[in-house]
Amino acid sequence: MEYNFREIEKKWQKRWVDEKTYQVTEDPNKPKFYVLNMFPYPSGAGLHVGHPLGYIASDIYARYKRLQGFNVLNPMGYDAYGLPAEQYAIQTGQHPAITTVNNINRYREQLDKIGFSFDWNREIRTCDPEYYHWTQWAFQQMFQSYYDNKLQKAQPIDQLVKTFETCGTEGLDVACSEELSFTADQWKAMSEKQQQETLMNYRIAYLGETMVNWCPQLGTVLANDEVVDGVSERGGYPVVQKKMRQWCLRVSAYAHRLLDGLETIDWTDSLKETQRNWIGRSEGAEVQFKVKDSDLEFTIFTTRADTMFGVTFMVLAPESELVPQVTTEAQKAEVEAYLDRTKKRTERERISDRSVSGVFSGSYAINPFTGEAVPIWISDYVLAGYGTGAIMAVPAHDSRDYAFAKHFGLEIRPLVEGCDVSEESFDAKEGIVCNSPKIVNESTSEQGNEAGQLVNSSTCQLNLNGLTIKEAIAATKKYVKEHHLGRVKVNYRLRDAIFSRQRYWGEPFPVYYKDNMPYMIPESCLPLELPEVAKFLPTETGEPPLGHAKVWAWDTVNNCVVENSKIDNQTIFPLELNTMPGFAGSSAYYLRYMDPRNHTALVDQKVDEYWKNVDLYVGGTEHATGHLIYSRFWNKFLHDLGISAVEEPFQKLVNQGMIQGRSNFVYRIKDTNTFVSLNLKDQYDTTPLHVDVNIVSNDVLDVEAFKAWRPEYETAEFILEDGKYICGWAVEKMSKSMFNVVNPDMIVEKYGADTLRMYEMFLGPVEQSKPWDTNGIDGVHRFLKKFWTLFYDRTGNALFNDEPATKDELKSLHKLIKKVTGDIETFSYNTSISTFMICVNELAALKCSKKEILNQFIVVLAPFAPHVCEELWEILGNEGSVCDAHWPAYNEDYLVENTVNYTVSFNGKARFNMEFPADAASDTIQAEVLADERSAKWMEGKSVVKIIVVPKKIVNVVVK
C-alpha cells in the first residue's frame, strides 16, 4: 500500500467537515485554550508560501493543546475592509464587496488545502453588517463615555453632565483635549450646541482638529504606517500634512494602563520595549513663557526642569497655532515657504531624519527664570502632537537642540561643571550644576553688576549652583509649583488615534449632524449599513465618496435612512460621510469569535467569562505600534464597561518571521536570445534576468517550460553544462516582479499539505526570517514516505503487529516525546522535524512496526502532519479522530543510558570506540581498554605512561 498523499488529504479534509471535527463549544468540564492568528486581509493575489507560516505554527500548537485535553478555540475570519479593494473598484467599477468575496473564496480554498484546524463555523468578516453592528456599537459607547483619571476608568458622559450641573469644572480630574474652567451656572447658561461642543472636549470618541497624512490622489487620510518616504504605500502618491476635523479616539487617556499592562503579559522584551517607547512616559514640568511685547503666552513641557537657565532659544512645531501669531511681517514670506516644505513630510520621517532645518519667526519669548528675551524659531524636529508643540531649547544638554544651535549660530550655555560642549552636547544626567543662575566673574562685571553677584537675581530667587542634577530637577519642580509658573506633570508621547477615513469601503459611522454637531442614531437601529454610491471617488466638491449616496439622511421621527432630498434639518439630518479606518474592525474581533452569532450582544457574559482572552496570539512585528496598541486600548475600554472579563486581550504573543523569496536567474548573452548556464556565464557578456521559480527545480531550469513561459523566449537557445541549464539564485523579498512567488497550491499538489506544513517549520525558528528554498523540500517528503514504510512494505503488505516493544524501541520513542514536547512549548518546531527524522531512522534500523510504538508516534506527529496521521491512526484500528487522542507523557526510566560509548585514544589520537556500563569504575575501564586486542597495535614496543579517563566520554592512553 503506497503513501498516496493526494487521496489521503482529500479524504480527511472532507471527513473533518462532515464530522465537524473542529467545531468547538464552551465546556465547563475542560480547561480552555484560545489560539488566534492576526486577522488576514484577503488580497487579490491569494496566498504565497510565506503567508501560512504563522497559521501553521499556531495550528500545531492548537492541535497539541487539544491532545493535552484542552478545549481549544482556533477561529479564522477576514479583515475585509481595505484600500486595495476600493482602488480596484475605482479602476474597474466593480463593487468592492464583489472583489472582497472573490478574494475570500480564493483564500478559503487555499487554506482548506493546507489542513488547518480552524472552526469555520465562527468565521467573521468585518464588512458583514452583522459584524460591524458591534464596531458601531462600541464607537457609540466611546462617544457616550469620558475617562476619570482618579478612578482610572471610563465613565458614562451623563455623570460628567451632572458634575457640570452641580459644580462646573471645580476639582475635575478627567482626560480632556484642553483644560477648561467654568461654573455650574455658566454651564447651565450654555446653549445645547455650546454644551455639546464642551462635552466633545471630554468624550472618548470625539471630533477634533488634528494634523493628518492627507493623500490628494487617494482622497483620504493615511495612517503613519501607510506612508513610506513621503508617498502612499499603496500607489506611491504624494502625501502632505494637513489639519482636518476628524473623529478621534482618546487612546492617550489609557496610556498609564497600557504601560502597566505590559508587566502582566507574556510578550518578547523587544516588543514590550517598542510599546513603552511608543507610549513614551516622561515626568517633568509645564512652564509658561510669555511672548515679548505681546499678550501671548504659551506652555512648554520639559523633563529637565534643571536646565531652565540654559535656554537660549524656543522652537515651535510648524503646525502650532502660535506660528501665525508670533510670525512678524518681515519674516512672513520665509516662514510660509518653510511651512510649505515641511507639510510634505510625515511625523515618522521627521522623527527619524536628523537633518537640521528651521526658520526664525521674528519674535522673542521671555524666560520666566532669567528674564532674558530668547528668539522663537520654527522647526520640524518639534512635533505638534507631543507635549505642547513648543519646546525650550537647551543646546548644551540636548543633541537635537545642539545641532540646531550649531547650524544657526545660536548660543550654547553649559550648565554642568567641567562639561565640554565644544563638539557635542552633554546629555548625561549626572554632574554638579553651574551657571544656574550665571555668576558674574570676580575680575569683571557684567551689565553693571558687582563682581560675584548672581545675574538676574531680581527675576528669580532660585539658585541651583552646586546641586546634583537630580537635586536640581526636584528643586526646580518645587519652585515652579510654589511660584505658579506652571505645574508638575506626567506626559505621554502616545497620541489619540485618528478614526476617520475619507473613503467608501469601511464601516459607516452611526452619526447624523444637527446644527453641525454629531448625534448618535439609536442603538436599536444598528447596524447602519453602507449605502450604494454611483462612484467610489471623492465628490467634485471634495467630499468623501459617501457624498455620492442619494439615500444617506437620518429621519429622527421614523428612525430610518431616507433620501437626501428630504433633509430639512428639523427632523431629517445628514449622515456622516467619513467611514471608519482599517483598525476599527480588527480591534475587538477576538471577542466576537467567542460568540459570533449573538444578535443581542457583542459577546455573552458567560461565554466571555469562559474564554476570557487569547492565550496564544501569532502575527507579525509590524503591528507593534498600530493594531496591538489599538486592540489593547479597545479591550480596556470594554473591560471598563464590564463587557470583557480580562483587561489584556492577548496573554502570550509570538511574532513569526518572514519567509523571503529565493529568486532564480538566467543569463542572456547580450544582443542575442541565447542563454548560458551559470558556471559558463563568465565566458560571455551576459545580462542576468529573473525567471519564474516555479519552472526551476533544484536550480535546474525546465527549458521547455521556459520557452512556453513568455512569447519572447519561444525561440530561445541554451548553452548547457552536463546537459542541464543551471540557474543562479539570490535571497530577495518575495514579489511578483521578481517571479519568486511560490504558490502553496503547487507545493500541495506536488508534495502534499503535510510536506508543506513540515517543511515551512523545518526552514528555521518560527520567529526568524528565512528564505524559501524548494531544494530542501524533497527531504521532508522522503521522511513522510519512510514513516509510511514502518506500516507497509514495498508490496503493500501490512507490517504493524501487537508484539511488546523492546527497551531500545521505547528509548527511541520516549526521546522523541520528550524532545517534541519541549520544542512545541518553546516554538522550536524546526528541531522537532529533525527529531522525527532521527526517530524514524532508529525505528527502521530496529525494524520496529509495533503498534505500542507506532500509535504514540502518530499522536506526537499529528499536530505537524495531521492528514497522514489520521489515516494511519484509523488503519491501526483506533476509534475516532487522532485529534482526540491523548498526548503521551515521556518516561525518564526509558531514557536512562545503561551503557556509555567511550572514544579510546592513544597519545590524543582517536583509534576506536568501546561500550562500557554507565556505572563502570575507572579501574575497570582502564583494564578492559588495555586488554582489548585493538590496543596491542598502538602499544607495541612502547610502555604505558598513564591512562586518563574522562567519565562518559574519552579514554586517553599515553605511551612512549
Side-chain angles (χ1 to χ4, degrees):
M1 187 173 176
E2 190 181 14
Y3 170 46
N4 188 330
F5 62 83
R6 292 187 183 91
E7 285 187 10
I8 289 170
E9 291 176 1
K10 187 176 180 181
K11 167 187 170 180
W12 284 100
Q13 286 168 10
K14 183 177 185 301
R15 179 89 64 89
W16 291 331
V17 173
D18 292 344
E19 297 183 357
K20 301 179 179 179
T21 303
Y22 302 128
Q23 283 193 23
V24 63
T25 56
E26 296 71 46
D27 184 350
N29 297 315
K30 280 186 175 182
K32 70 92 183 183
F33 198 89
Y34 187 173
V35 176
L36 186 61
N37 296 282
M38 287 188 183
F39 229 3
Y41 173 76
S43 70
L47 296 171
H48 63 60
V49 291
H51 292 125
L53 177 69
Y55 304 159
I56 295 169
S58 64
D59 193 62
I60 289 170
Y61 205 86
R63 291 174 179 275
Y64 164 69
K65 297 305 285 186
R66 179 167 173 171
L67 288 165
Q68 285 191 318
F70 286 84
N71 191 27
V72 178
L73 175 57
N74 184 22
M76 178 54 78
Y78 303 98
D79 192 4
Y81 278 129
L83 199 53
E86 182 157 347
Q87 285 300 105
Y88 189 72
I90 292 168
Q91 294 161 9
T92 66
Q94 179 169 286
H95 197 286
I98 297 172
T99 307
T100 301
V101 169
N102 292 340
N103 293 350
I104 286 174
N105 291 339
R106 173 78 179 116
Y107 255 57
R108 176 65 188 272
E109 179 188 1
Q110 290 184 287
L111 291 170
D112 283 346
K113 287 179 181 178
I114 303 173
F116 293 112
S117 60
F118 296 137
D119 181 356
W120 284 110
N121 192 49
R122 295 172 179 265
E123 178 190 326
I124 55 178
R125 302 177 182 186
T126 54
C127 62
D128 181 355
E130 177 62 28
Y131 177 81
Y132 67 67
H133 174 156
W134 301 106
T135 308
Q136 293 176 338
W137 172 84
F139 171 78
Q140 287 192 338
Q141 302 309 305
M142 292 180 191
F143 183 79
Q144 302 292 0
S145 301
Y146 73 100
Y147 194 82
D148 189 311
N149 289 330
K150 290 179 182 175
L151 296 177
Q152 281 289 296
K153 187 178 181 182
Q155 296 288 290
I157 200 78
D158 291 346
Q159 288 188 16
L160 189 62
V161 171
K162 289 177 182 176
T163 299
F164 290 162
E165 289 173 344
T166 55
C167 50
T169 56
E170 186 180 350
L172 197 64
D173 185 8
V174 299
C176 57
S177 302
E178 61 176 309
E179 298 287 341
L180 300 179
S181 178
F182 53 83
T183 65
D185 288 339
Q186 288 172 321
W187 167 260
K188 292 172 185 175
M190 292 180 190
S191 65
E192 179 187 349
K193 183 176 181 179
Q194 288 172 326
Q195 288 185 344
Q196 289 300 316
E197 287 173 338
T198 301
L199 289 174
M200 199 65 72
N201 189 60
Y202 303 98
R203 296 183 188 275
I204 290 178
Y206 66 95
L207 273 175
E209 290 280 338
T210 58
M211 293 302 300
V212 297
N213 301 317
W214 173 250
C215 181
Q217 279 88 340
L218 292 177
T220 189
V221 170
L222 298 176
N224 279 332
D225 54 9
E226 294 174 315
V227 182
V228 179
D229 297 329
V231 298
S232 62
E233 187 178 40
R234 182 77 182 178
Y237 302 117
V239 175
V240 298
Q241 296 286 295
K242 180 179 179 181
K243 185 166 278 193
M244 293 179 68
R245 193 182 188 213
Q246 301 278 295
W247 280 106
C248 302
L249 302 184
R250 207 175 296 281
V251 180
S252 59
Y254 284 80
H256 180 71
R257 284 167 63 184
L258 286 167
L259 267 183
D260 288 352
L262 292 172
E263 305 304 317
T264 68
I265 51 182
D266 183 10
W267 294 11
T268 62
D269 289 340
S270 61
L271 187 56
K272 286 184 178 182
E273 194 59 26
T274 298
Q275 288 219 339
R276 287 191 189 101
N277 291 336
W278 190 258
I279 296 165
R281 184 183 190 276
S282 51
E283 295 183 18
E286 283 189 342
V287 182
Q288 295 292 120
F289 278 71
K290 293 183 178 180
V291 178
K292 184 181 179 184
D293 301 326
S294 166
D295 294 332
L296 286 175
E297 63 179 19
F298 58 94
T299 304
I300 62 91
F301 174 81
T302 177
T303 59
R304 292 292 305 273
D306 59 304
T307 61
M308 293 296 302
F309 293 94
V311 176
T312 58
F313 58 98
M314 312 295 290
V315 187
L316 301 178
E319 307 84 7
S320 171
E321 294 177 353
L322 285 166
V323 168
Q325 298 178 67
V326 300
T327 300
T328 62
E329 194 62 35
Q331 290 296 109
K332 188 175 181 181
E334 196 174 341
V335 169
E336 287 179 351
Y338 181 74
L339 297 182
D340 189 57
R341 290 198 303 273
T342 61
K343 72 179 182 181
K344 296 180 176 66
R345 306 181 72 204
T346 67
E347 284 194 359
R348 185 168 290 182
E349 289 171 327
R350 286 160 58 180
I351 291 169
S352 59
D353 185 6
R354 308 299 286 188
S355 61
V356 177
S357 70
V359 63
F360 177 46
S361 70
S363 294
Y364 294 80
I366 304 300
N367 185 331
F369 280 65
T370 66
E372 293 174 286
V374 293
I376 302 174
W377 285 72
I378 300 153
S379 175
D380 63 4
Y381 81 91
V382 178
L383 304 176
Y386 180 63
T388 64
I391 67 160
M392 60 177 214
V394 186
H397 302 288
D398 180 273
S399 58
R400 297 203 74 167
D401 294 348
Y402 183 89
F404 193 91
K406 278 285 189 182
H407 185 83
F408 289 105
L410 301 169
E411 182 190 354
I412 300 172
R413 185 183 301 166
L415 301 176
V416 176
E417 289 182 4
C419 72
D420 179 7
V421 293
S422 58
E423 298 295 331
E424 61 182 357
S425 59
F426 182 82
D427 295 351
K429 294 183 180 180
E430 295 178 354
I432 303 300
V433 175
C434 65
N435 291 330
S436 301
K438 190 175 180 181
I439 300 175
V440 176
N441 189 287
E442 291 187 5
S443 59
T444 62
S445 65
E446 297 182 14
Q447 300 175 357
N449 292 313
E450 295 179 10
Q453 181 181 330
L454 297 176
V455 174
N456 303 119
S457 57
S458 60
T459 304
C460 174
Q461 287 73 48
L462 180 66
N463 185 354
L464 304 178
N465 294 323
L467 300 180
T468 64
I469 290 177
K470 187 176 181 180
E471 291 168 342
I473 290 173
T476 310
K477 285 181 180 177
K478 182 181 178 184
Y479 186 86
V480 166
K481 194 173 180 180
E482 289 177 349
H483 290 76
H484 307 292
L485 297 175
R487 61 174 178 163
V488 176
K489 188 185 178 186
V490 173
N491 210 20
Y492 293 94
R493 184 180 293 115
L494 183 66
R495 268 12 107 63
D496 290 343
I498 298 171
F499 202 63
S500 297
R501 294 293 185 271
Q502 293 67 42
R503 56 191 188 212
Y504 173 76
W505 193 231
E507 297 90 343
F509 283 94
V511 173
Y512 66 90
Y513 284 87
K514 173 184 170 184
D515 198 15
N516 206 34
M517 291 302 297
Y519 290 80
M520 298 294 125
I521 71 171
E523 187 179 316
S524 60
C525 298
L526 298 178
L528 176 65
E529 297 193 24
L530 200 59
E532 294 298 320
V533 295
K535 294 181 181 179
F536 302 108
L537 288 164
T539 67
E540 293 178 0
T541 55
E543 292 176 322
L546 288 186
H548 290 295
K550 302 296 185 186
V551 183
W552 198 236
W554 188 254
D555 185 335
T556 57
V557 176
N558 298 301
N559 283 330
C560 63
V561 178
V562 297
E563 295 84 354
N564 294 17
S565 58
K566 294 182 179 179
I567 293 173
D568 58 11
N569 289 313
Q570 301 297 317
T571 61
I572 299 176
F573 302 93
L575 283 159
E576 172 68 70
L577 299 181
N578 289 313
T579 53
M580 296 184 190
F583 72 83
S586 61
S587 289
Y589 71 112
Y590 47 89
L591 290 171
R592 191 61 180 168
Y593 275 138
M594 298 178 186
D595 199 9
R597 307 297 169 245
N598 190 329
H599 301 298
T600 60
L602 170 62
V603 58
D604 179 80
Q605 187 175 352
K606 288 183 179 178
V607 172
D608 180 62
E609 286 174 354
Y610 177 78
W611 293 113
K612 290 184 170 64
N613 64 353
V614 177
D615 296 285
L616 172 65
Y617 198 33
V618 179
T621 55
E622 67 273 16
H623 300 292
T625 56
H627 162 66
L628 289 173
I629 290 280
Y630 300 140
S631 282
R632 293 182 62 220
F633 151 74
W634 202 288
N635 196 74
K636 288 175 187 294
F637 172 75
L638 294 176
H639 180 69
D640 289 350
L641 267 57
I643 304 299
S644 180
V646 179
E647 187 164 338
E648 286 293 337
F650 314 119
Q651 190 56 41
K652 182 177 179 65
L653 176 63
V654 171
N655 294 125
Q656 89 274 7
M658 184 193 305
I659 288 186
Q660 299 158 309
R662 187 181 187 275
S663 303
N664 279 116
F665 299 91
V666 292
Y667 302 92
R668 183 169 61 192
I669 299 174
K670 287 189 176 177
D671 302 322
T672 74
N673 204 23
T674 301
F675 295 82
V676 60
S677 189
L678 172 68
N679 297 307
L680 303 176
K681 70 180 178 65
D682 291 343
Q683 301 172 26
Y684 304 87
D685 185 7
T686 62
T687 302
L689 302 171
H690 282 89
V691 64
D692 187 350
V693 295
N694 295 295
I695 58 174
V696 179
S697 179
N698 292 328
D699 293 330
V700 177
L701 178 70
D702 182 335
V703 293
E704 293 305 318
F706 179 75
K707 287 181 176 182
W709 179 39
R710 296 170 75 166
E712 62 265 37
Y713 300 144
E714 189 176 348
T715 59
E717 296 180 350
F718 301 90
I719 300 174
L720 309 177
E721 49 182 304
D722 298 326
K724 298 177 181 178
Y725 190 98
I726 309 299
C727 296
W729 63 275
V731 175
E732 301 176 298
K733 181 180 179 183
M734 201 168 277
S735 162
K736 285 190 290 185
S737 65
M738 296 175 185
F739 306 110
N740 61 3
V741 172
V742 179
N743 188 327
D745 296 2
M746 297 179 68
I747 303 298
V748 170
E749 173 59 29
K750 187 173 181 180
Y751 297 101
D754 286 338
T755 297
L756 173 67
R757 290 169 62 99
M758 294 193 72
Y759 185 59
E760 292 224 358
M761 297 300 98
F762 190 47
L763 286 171
V766 172
E767 297 93 338
Q768 290 182 11
S769 292
K770 50 262 179 187
W772 174 266
D773 184 357
T774 312
N775 295 345
I777 202 166
D778 287 322
V780 174
H781 191 58
R782 284 196 301 271
F783 156 74
L784 288 172
K785 291 198 286 189
K786 188 167 186 178
F787 177 58
W788 186 267
T789 64
L790 297 179
F791 299 79
Y792 291 97
D793 64 18
R794 291 180 180 177
T795 59
N797 297 315
L799 300 173
F800 43 88
N801 57 68
D802 293 314
E803 294 177 18
T806 67
K807 206 170 187 179
D808 286 340
E809 291 165 347
L810 288 167
K811 179 181 176 181
S812 183
L813 173 68
H814 283 262
K815 279 195 303 183
L816 173 77
I817 296 169
K818 181 178 181 179
K819 182 72 168 72
V820 174
T821 301
D823 284 348
I824 291 178
E825 290 290 353
T826 57
F827 296 89
S828 304
Y829 298 148
N830 56 316
T831 55
S832 286
I833 310 299
S834 302
T835 305
F836 284 128
M837 293 175 174
I838 292 167
C839 188
V840 163
N841 289 338
E842 290 175 352
L843 294 178
L846 293 168
K847 294 183 168 50
C848 174
S849 294
K850 294 164 184 173
K851 288 185 181 179
E852 182 183 353
I853 299 294
L854 297 182
N855 267 323
Q856 294 183 76
F857 196 130
I858 289 170
V859 174
V860 177
L861 181 61
F864 297 81
H867 304 88
V868 68
C869 290
E870 286 278 25
E871 182 71 9
L872 293 172
W873 183 252
E874 183 179 66
I875 285 170
L876 291 188
N878 296 291
E879 294 292 326
S881 169
V882 71
C883 296
D884 295 315
H886 297 288
W887 187 263
Y890 62 87
N891 188 333
E892 286 285 0
D893 292 343
Y894 295 131
L895 304 180
V896 174
E897 297 285 353
N898 295 320
T899 60
V900 178
N901 188 289
Y902 280 82
T903 299
V904 179
S905 300
F906 288 84
N907 289 345
K909 293 185 178 180
R911 298 304 182 184
F912 55 86
N913 290 72
M914 291 182 69
E915 291 279 339
F916 293 98
D919 57 355
S922 178
D923 292 345
T924 302
I925 293 171
Q926 292 180 42
E928 291 193 23
V929 166
L930 295 177
D932 192 285
E933 60 183 22
R934 291 172 292 181
S935 297
K937 175 183 176 181
W938 307 105
M939 295 190 299
E940 187 176 354
K942 298 174 183 175
S943 58
V944 176
V945 178
K946 62 179 175 178
I947 301 175
I948 303 167
V949 178
V950 179
K952 300 183 179 180
K953 290 185 179 179
I954 299 171
V955 179
N956 185 33
V957 182
V958 181
V959 296
K960 72 173 183 178

